[in-house]
Amino acid sequence: MSDTAAFPLFYPTYQPFMGERWEMRLAALVICPGYWSGPRMVENMAALIRHDSGNTRAWMSMTPMETESQEIGCQLASGRTVVMGMGMGWAVANAALNPAVTAVTVVEFDAEVLAVVEQSGIFRQLPSEAAAKITIHQGDAYSWTPVDGQPFDTLLADIWLPLHGLDREAQVRTMAANTGATRIYFWGQEMNMAWRLKELGLPMDADGIARVVAEWGLPLLGPDQPDYAERAAAAAERWLRAPE
């Protein structure tokens, strides 16, 4: 992607929330690195926190790393789009704002996550024509299929906590088969590409990325963008870790 977005990205206002397992926290001012950009200050930074068996961990946040690592999918989506994982609703909202997207279906397993987003009124902050595109289903991303039986054009998948995980491309392949999507962006795909190229002993460049995409057999959004390889390599240098 170039530095100029295809359409202006939307950053909603979040409200504090405390549920049984999920919490929305706000931080007044935080300095955060981007996914492929440098550090910058973020005001009123919202974070979705999960409390699980005595463990507390940030699941998602409105940091530049999080938004930059999702924006390609939002900007390049088109037609009927399915988003696997509500998260904080940011990708859903921005996909709906994309003029090339005709409808957005979001699939989320956890009812309390849906309540967090509903409580903040994320989609009510959108223009009415964008909000009208959004349909929400509670379901399992690994098994959900279109309720109307019609295939989707674009799949945006982000249901994982670590940026890089084992067998993620296989999991995405299952989602694509279930939804019929022919255009795909999944969160952290650049890290999975970089790890595979590391295994092959190949550089993270356009040719290497093309090889991995062909090996996976996934119609991924992003690699055909003129600056994708350069940005993906920069992101991998900063964020690549051993898969979990």
Side-chain angles (χ1 to χ4, degrees), residues 29-49:
L29 188 65
V30 182
I31 299 178
C32 310
Y35 189 53
W36 35 48
S37 68
R40 61 182 181 269
M41 291 189 295
V42 179
E43 295 183 89
N44 299 317
M45 196 276 292
L48 182 63
I49 308 298

Side-chain angles (χ1 to χ4, degrees), residues 50-242:
R50 179 166 178 164
H51 304 282
D52 187 14
S53 301
N55 295 320
T56 298
R57 52 186 176 173
W59 195 266
M60 184 181 174
S61 60
M62 284 295 97
T63 61
M65 189 282 279
E66 293 271 9
T67 57
E68 288 178 6
S69 59
Q70 296 183 68
E71 69 174 305
I72 289 179
C74 299
Q75 296 282 2
L76 298 182
S78 63
R80 282 167 47 93
T81 297
V82 59
V83 181
M84 294 299 187
M86 173 68 83
M88 296 173 67
W90 187 86
V92 178
N94 279 283
L97 285 166
N98 186 337
V101 170
T102 57
V104 180
T105 296
V106 56
V107 179
E108 170 57 50
F109 183 79
D110 196 311
E112 194 168 66
V113 171
L114 297 177
V116 175
V117 173
E118 172 62 24
Q119 185 260 359
S120 281
I122 304 306
F123 305 141
R124 293 191 295 274
Q125 298 174 39
L126 293 171
S128 58
E129 61 272 19
K133 296 180 184 180
I134 300 171
T135 302
I136 299 170
H137 291 279
Q138 187 177 357
D140 186 336
Y142 294 121
S143 59
W144 189 87
T145 58
V147 295
D148 60 3
Q150 298 300 309
F152 284 88
D153 300 297
T154 305
L155 164 66
L156 306 180
D158 179 6
I159 63 170
W160 310 278
L161 180 59
L163 187 59
H164 178 208
L166 291 170
D167 299 325
R168 193 157 295 178
E169 66 276 7
Q171 296 166 5
V172 172
R173 192 176 295 109
T174 296
M175 297 179 204
N178 289 341
T179 60
T182 55
R183 296 160 57 81
I184 299 167
Y185 187 83
F186 69 92
W187 186 61
Q189 68 182 35
E190 295 80 19
M191 300 304 104
N192 289 267
M193 292 174 182
W195 188 263
R196 180 57 182 146
L197 288 169
K198 183 177 180 179
E199 292 177 333
L200 294 170
L202 296 175
M204 184 74 168
D205 57 16
D207 289 340
I209 290 172
R211 173 168 175 166
V212 172
V213 172
E215 178 184 296
W216 288 350
L218 293 173
L220 296 180
L221 295 170
D224 62 343
Q225 299 297 295
D227 55 357
Y228 182 81
E230 179 181 350
R231 288 195 168 205
E237 184 175 354
R238 175 176 293 166
W239 297 105
L240 185 62
R241 306 289 187 274

